[in-house]
Amino acid sequence: MSQAANRLTPFFENMQFEQNDGRMILNFGPQHPSAHGQLKLVLELDGEKIVRAMPEVGFMHRGIEKMAENMTYQEFIPVTDRVDYIASTATNYAFCEAVERLCDVKVPRRAKIIRVILLELNRISSHLLFLATHALDIGAMTVFLYAFREREYILDLIEKYCGARLTHSVVRIGGMPLDIPQGWLEELLKFCDEFPKDIQTYEDLLTENRIWKMRLENVGIISKELALSSGCSGIMLRASGVKWDIRKEQPYLIYDELDFEVPYATAGDCYARYLLYMKEMKECVKILRQCEKLYHTSPREILADAPQYVSPSKEQIMSQNYSLMQHFVLITQGVKPRRGEIYFASESPKGELGIYINSQGEASPYRLKIRTPSFSHCAIYEDLLKGQYIADVAAIIGSTNIILGEVDR
């Protein structure tokens, strides 16, 4: 018997089957379009109301954390793209920052600014995908098309910087591999000028739309207590009345220098979460404008001066013999941080993204653990879906904004 079947056995044994009691078992997924990945929900229904729910995951499990233990730190960076593949820079950055803190590497200011720009672009891109698919699940086809139009502009910007659109592998241990190309910031500012108008279009179509409100208001309510006890973070936590954002509470990069608000709500329902996503995109635009100004006053260095841990720039490798030797050693033997352990938490588009590394002084981590927000937000379905109607399942799953690459890893 499979592990999945073993886990489901108590679920079925404890159910009372009576003739003509109106109960039925429904498998929602793992190939359902509203599951946003390979998610299977085993639902026990009394008519159209859900009596019990059990999420079943693991269909996309790739053993990423075990792979990290058999790769050098540099080799593992492209693998981090595949965790939250909708905002891959978020995991790129969190992993590199954890290694940098373990090695006591100080990242140059310009590299920090570039990282924040890319992280916030990834945040908007992720939120737009949420809005597009969430609206499509509920029947708003027009918003899906509009949101993907703006997301395409962001992907074009990122592609012009690093050459990739989805899996970026753009952050390096010690800084950034590339400075911002000429004319790129002008295109960024053009996006910042136009995007608030697009957000207004989304709001005009949805926010006061009576069908949209009927489908989302008082649906999928997460109380403050349930959110905290279930390990929710990000908008899932802030929509339930907890004003917690790691960028404000435990600042990293240059977030402590930036002026932005942390939107929160108290209703805890699907509609409150939708409103927060809209407000957060507006705050991202404010951050991007500030970063553009700070970039012009920052020194030109984008890589830390730490030969033991950081490869030289491409120009140095091509022109200096010692730099070529240094690069060869780091690539063939790998970065070897000190013995110790580190946990670094960042605010990804979906919540708290944490990287734990246990180092024994070797080129590969002895143990690596990724704390992903989607895993906690998927586990809450067992409590959240109970008492809801089957017609609301798609709306609730969409509002939690999980990515199965994060859940299964």
Side-chain angles (χ1 to χ4, degrees):
M1 185 179 292
S2 67
Q3 292 183 353
N6 281 328
R7 288 190 285 110
L8 286 172
T9 300
F11 179 78
F12 291 115
E13 287 179 348
N14 294 332
M15 295 190 323
Q16 301 293 322
F17 289 102
E18 298 180 9
Q19 192 172 7
N20 299 323
D21 65 351
R23 302 281 180 93
M24 69 174 291
I25 301 298
L26 177 68
N27 287 316
F28 185 96
Q31 302 295 342
H32 195 286
S34 295
H36 299 288
Q38 308 309 111
L39 170 68
K40 179 180 178 182
L41 289 172
V42 182
L43 305 174
E44 182 186 354
L45 304 176
D46 182 2
E48 293 189 12
K49 185 171 282 191
I50 299 168
V51 179
R52 296 183 65 189
M54 181 176 178
E56 185 177 343
V57 299
F59 297 95
M60 283 182 63
H61 179 63
R62 296 148 289 166
I64 284 178
E65 291 160 345
K66 181 56 68 175
M67 288 169 64
E69 299 168 19
N70 294 277
M71 305 173 79
T72 66
Y73 288 93
Q74 298 103 318
E75 285 177 328
F76 186 63
I77 293 174
V79 181
T80 62
D81 288 331
R82 279 76 183 170
V83 179
D84 180 1
Y85 38 80
I86 303 304
S88 60
T89 300
T91 321
N92 286 167
Y93 162 70
F95 172 71
C96 289
E97 179 76 24
V99 177
E100 288 159 2
R101 296 192 178 200
L102 197 58
C103 298
D104 294 323
V105 170
K106 304 302 180 185
V107 176
R109 179 173 176 79
R110 177 164 289 193
K112 291 181 178 180
I113 295 171
I114 297 173
R115 286 180 176 186
V116 172
I117 291 174
L118 292 173
L119 287 171
E120 295 307 312
L121 284 174
N122 272 247
R123 193 180 308 278
I124 297 175
S125 172
S126 176
H127 288 2
L128 284 175
L129 187 79
F130 153 78
L131 178 66
T133 54
H134 188 35
L136 189 64
D137 288 343
I138 295 175
M141 181 72 179
T142 305
V143 178
F144 173 84
L145 299 173
Y146 286 174
F148 261 71
R149 179 187 61 189
E150 278 70 67
R151 185 171 177 268
E152 195 70 16
Y153 194 95
I154 293 174
L155 297 184
D156 287 344
L157 270 175
I158 295 175
E159 184 180 15
K160 288 177 181 178
Y161 173 74
C162 67
R165 293 166 56 83
L166 191 69
T167 50
H168 306 140
S169 297
V170 71
V171 184
R172 296 290 182 272
I173 296 169
M176 301 296 289
L178 303 165
D179 204 345
I180 289 178
Q182 189 173 2
W184 195 87
L185 288 174
E186 286 73 16
E187 293 191 44
L188 176 68
L189 287 179
K190 181 182 176 184
F191 169 75
C192 292
D193 290 337
E194 295 295 328
F195 188 55
K197 303 172 190 174
D198 299 320
I199 297 176
Q200 186 61 51
T201 301
Y202 310 149
E203 292 178 330
D204 291 343
L205 287 167
L206 295 179
T207 303
E208 295 301 325
N209 184 307
R210 68 176 185 269
I211 300 174
W212 182 257
K213 293 181 75 171
M214 287 171 62
R215 291 298 307 273
L216 298 186
E217 282 187 323
N218 298 316
V219 173
I221 297 175
I222 302 175
S223 66
K224 181 178 179 180
E225 294 73 21
L226 178 60
L228 290 169
S229 63
S230 301
C232 291
S233 57
I235 285 178
M236 286 283 285
L237 182 62
R238 294 193 285 273
S240 297
V242 182
K243 191 177 180 180
W244 176 267
D245 188 311
I246 298 174
R247 295 174 296 172
K248 285 283 191 183
E249 306 300 331
Q250 299 170 0
Y252 50 91
L253 294 176
I254 61 165
Y255 280 111
D256 54 342
E257 303 176 35
L258 302 174
D259 178 27
F260 66 98
E261 298 298 321
V262 178
Y264 77 104
T266 56
D269 58 6
C270 294
Y271 189 68
R273 291 190 280 276
Y274 153 75
L275 291 176
L276 291 191
Y277 276 105
M278 305 301 286
K279 292 177 181 177
E280 201 164 89
M281 287 193 287
K282 297 176 184 177
E283 296 302 317
C284 291
V285 173
K286 288 170 56 177
I287 292 173
L288 289 172
R289 289 186 181 279
Q290 295 173 69
C291 287
E292 187 272 336
K293 294 179 180 178
L294 292 173
Y295 173 86
H296 293 295
T297 60
S298 62
R300 295 179 62 88
E301 290 80 17
I302 57 172
L303 279 171
D305 183 16
Q308 186 179 356
Y309 304 115
V310 181
S311 284
S313 66
K314 184 176 181 180
E315 291 77 13
Q316 291 173 314
I317 294 171
M318 299 297 288
S319 60
Q320 300 173 15
N321 188 41
Y322 178 75
S323 296
L324 178 62
M325 294 164 56
Q326 174 192 340
H327 176 71
F328 177 80
V329 170
L330 285 174
I331 294 302
T332 56
Q333 299 182 14
V335 174
K336 295 183 179 179
R338 60 177 173 82
R339 291 171 64 96
E341 57 184 5
I342 187 80
Y343 177 79
F344 172 71
S346 63
E347 186 75 22
S348 82
K350 296 169 182 62
E352 180 180 338
L353 174 64
I355 304 288
Y356 168 80
I357 299 174
N358 185 310
S359 169
Q360 297 298 316
E362 300 297 329
S364 303
Y366 176 75
R367 180 73 179 94
L368 182 135
K369 170 68 178 175
I370 307 175
R371 191 273 182 203
T372 58
S374 292
F375 186 81
S376 299
H377 300 163
C378 179
I380 202 175
Y381 290 157
E382 196 164 344
D383 295 313
L384 182 58
L385 293 176
K386 187 175 180 180
Q388 303 290 330
Y389 288 97
I390 186 65
D392 294 326
V393 171
I396 293 171
I397 291 176
S399 77
T400 56
N401 192 19
I402 63 168
I403 285 291
L404 271 295
E406 279 194 343
V407 175
D408 294 336
R409 297 192 298 284

